[in-house]
Amino acid sequence: MKKIYVTRKLPGVIMDRLHENFDVNYWDDEDEPVPRDVLLREMKECEGLFCMLTETIDEELLDAAPKLKIVANLAVGYNNIDIEAAKNRNVIVTNTPGVLSETTADLTFALMLASARRLVETSEVVRDGTWGAWSPMHYTGQDVHGKTLGIIGLGRIGEAVAKRSTGFDMNVLYHNRRRNEEAESRLGATYVSFNKLLKHSDFIVLLLPYSKSNHHLIGSQEIGLMKKEAILINTARGGLVDEGALYHALEKREIYGAGLDVFEEEPVPLTNPLLQSKYVTTSPHIGSASIETRLHMCHLVTDNLIHVLSGRDPLTPVTK
C-alpha cells in the first residue's frame, strides 16, 4: 500500500477510508498543527500528503520527500504551498474547490448581518446585565435590506453571496480581473472599477484568493474611499487587509464596522488591537465550518489521493 502522511487527526469515517486505501501515519491531534520537525521526518518515505493551511509546503519540505507524488490540501486556497517548487519536482497539488462555496457564503452573510445589527456587542449587553431601559436610539445599527453590496472577487463564493443578497433587495456591484457577463445576467450584478466599488458600496466583501500581488489590497488609501457607513467583510484571507489601517479607520469612525473571519496571523494574537474594537465582529476562520462541508472536503482530499496514487488524474488539480 502507498504510504501517506496526514497532518491532523480527522473524523473516524475519513480515517477509516484512508486506512482502507493507504499505509497511513498521522499527527494524533485534532487541534494542534504537526510540529515542523515531525513533518519533515515523516515525509522521507511518503508518496502522498494530506495537509491543512497550517502547514508550509516549501522547498525544504519537498526536498525532504523524494518519493512524494501529491500534496492534497484541505482548502480552496493554497498560499501555504510553493506551487512552482512542486511543479519543478513533478509533485501534483490539489485543493477542494466548489464544495465549500455555499457554506462560506452563509458565513459571509452572517457576518454582514451581525456587523450591521451589532449582534455580538448587544448579546454581551444582555449577558452582562447592562441592558438598560428602552431608548429610541439604543443599540441601533445599519439596515442590510435595500443596500448596495460590493463583491471583490465574483467567483463561486462571490456568486453564492450575490444570490443570497437578492432576498434582501440589495443592489450588487462587483469587481474582478475579468468581467463575468453571464453572472451579471443571472444575478443582476453590475461590473464596476475597483475604486467605484469602494466609493458606492455599503457592504464591501472580500472573496478573492490571496497572493503577493494583492497583499494589503485594502489599506488606508482604499478605506479613505469608502462611505462612513460602510462595513468591510473579509472571509477570504487576512493578508488582503492592512489590519493597522483598518483599526485606525474604525476608531476614527471613518467607516462603520468590519466583520473578519480571517487575520494575517492565525490564531490571532490577543494583542491585535482589532480584538479590542467594539466595531469589529470576529470569527476564527470558520468559513467552511459546517459538519457536512468539512466532511465533504475531507472526502474530496481522500479521492484526490486515491486517484493520483493509483495512477489516475487528480479530480481537482492546482497543478498537473
Side-chain angles (χ1 to χ4, degrees):
M1 298 177 81
K2 305 289 186 179
K3 189 175 182 64
I4 70 167
Y5 189 72
V6 183
T7 64
R8 203 73 62 91
K9 186 177 180 181
L10 300 170
V13 64
I14 304 300
M15 295 305 298
D16 288 345
R17 263 196 90 198
L18 291 169
H19 282 294
E20 287 171 6
N21 289 278
F22 305 108
D23 177 7
V24 183
N25 279 356
Y26 63 96
W27 178 243
D28 192 18
D29 195 307
E30 293 183 22
D31 301 316
E32 292 297 323
V34 58
R36 178 73 172 181
D37 61 325
V38 173
L39 182 57
L40 288 170
R41 184 172 66 247
E42 290 284 351
M43 291 309 299
K44 291 179 181 178
E45 300 297 323
C46 284
E47 295 185 61
L49 175 64
F50 187 135
C51 67
M52 321 289 150
L53 284 171
T54 47
E55 283 76 61
T56 299
I57 312 303
D58 54 11
E59 289 191 340
E60 179 190 32
L61 185 136
L62 293 167
D63 286 342
K67 298 181 180 180
L68 191 65
K69 293 182 173 63
I70 175 174
V71 174
N73 207 38
L74 187 72
V76 173
Y78 44 85
N79 54 292
N80 58 314
I81 301 170
D82 187 331
I83 298 299
E84 288 304 314
K87 283 182 180 178
N88 291 339
R89 292 161 177 79
N90 295 315
V91 175
I92 292 170
V93 177
T94 64
N95 63 345
T96 58
V99 299
L100 51 71
S101 300
E102 298 293 337
T103 300
T104 304
D106 284 349
L107 189 277
T108 302
F109 227 90
L111 280 175
M112 287 171 56
L113 291 164
S115 301
R117 297 301 302 273
R118 302 168 59 183
L119 291 187
V120 174
E121 177 190 352
T122 52
S123 175
E124 290 303 313
V125 166
V126 176
R127 292 170 181 272
D128 66 18
T130 58
W131 181 9
W134 186 89
S135 174
M137 299 305 289
H138 259 189
Y139 315 128
T140 52
Q142 301 276 5
D143 280 333
V144 177
H145 66 273
K147 295 295 183 71
T148 295
L149 169 64
I151 300 174
I152 302 175
L154 194 71
R156 291 187 181 96
I157 301 171
E159 290 191 18
V161 171
K163 182 173 65 176
R164 282 155 177 74
S165 75
T166 60
F168 287 77
D169 294 322
M170 299 183 83
N171 173 42
V172 179
L173 307 178
Y174 80 97
H175 181 76
N176 262 357
R177 286 178 298 176
R178 299 181 184 86
R179 186 170 177 176
N180 187 340
E181 293 183 0
E182 186 276 330
E184 291 176 22
S185 175
R186 180 163 41 84
L187 299 168
T190 302
Y191 178 80
V192 294
S193 69
F194 181 64
N195 285 355
K196 186 171 182 178
L197 183 146
L198 296 178
K199 289 177 181 178
H200 293 281
S201 298
D202 299 297
F203 296 87
I204 297 159
V205 177
L206 302 180
L207 290 169
L208 68 165
Y210 172 81
S211 66
K212 290 180 181 179
S213 64
N214 60 24
H215 181 71
H216 287 183
L217 177 73
I218 303 296
S220 56
Q221 183 175 338
E222 290 73 26
I223 293 171
L225 296 175
M226 299 177 189
K227 299 178 179 182
K228 289 189 179 296
E229 301 81 13
I231 295 175
L232 177 68
I233 305 293
N234 189 6
T235 50
R237 288 290 181 268
L240 295 170
V241 177
D242 181 337
E243 293 178 351
L246 176 60
Y247 173 75
H248 289 298
L250 289 167
E251 295 307 303
K252 293 176 183 176
R253 307 310 295 133
E254 293 174 0
I255 62 171
Y256 184 82
L260 306 175
D261 185 48
V262 290
F263 294 85
E264 286 203 71
E265 183 181 348
E266 296 180 357
V268 60
L270 294 179
T271 54
N272 188 320
L274 286 169
L275 301 186
Q276 313 308 318
S277 175
K278 67 179 182 180
Y279 309 117
V280 180
T281 303
T282 61
S283 55
H285 204 146
I286 58 168
S288 63
S290 72
I291 295 168
E292 299 90 339
T293 293
R294 287 287 171 85
L295 286 175
H296 196 167
M297 291 168 67
C298 287
H299 280 298
L300 180 53
V301 172
T302 302
D303 290 339
N304 274 309
L305 287 164
I306 290 170
H307 272 241
V308 171
L309 294 181
S310 63
R312 290 177 283 169
D313 290 335
L315 297 173
T316 54
V318 175
T319 62
K320 290 187 179 180

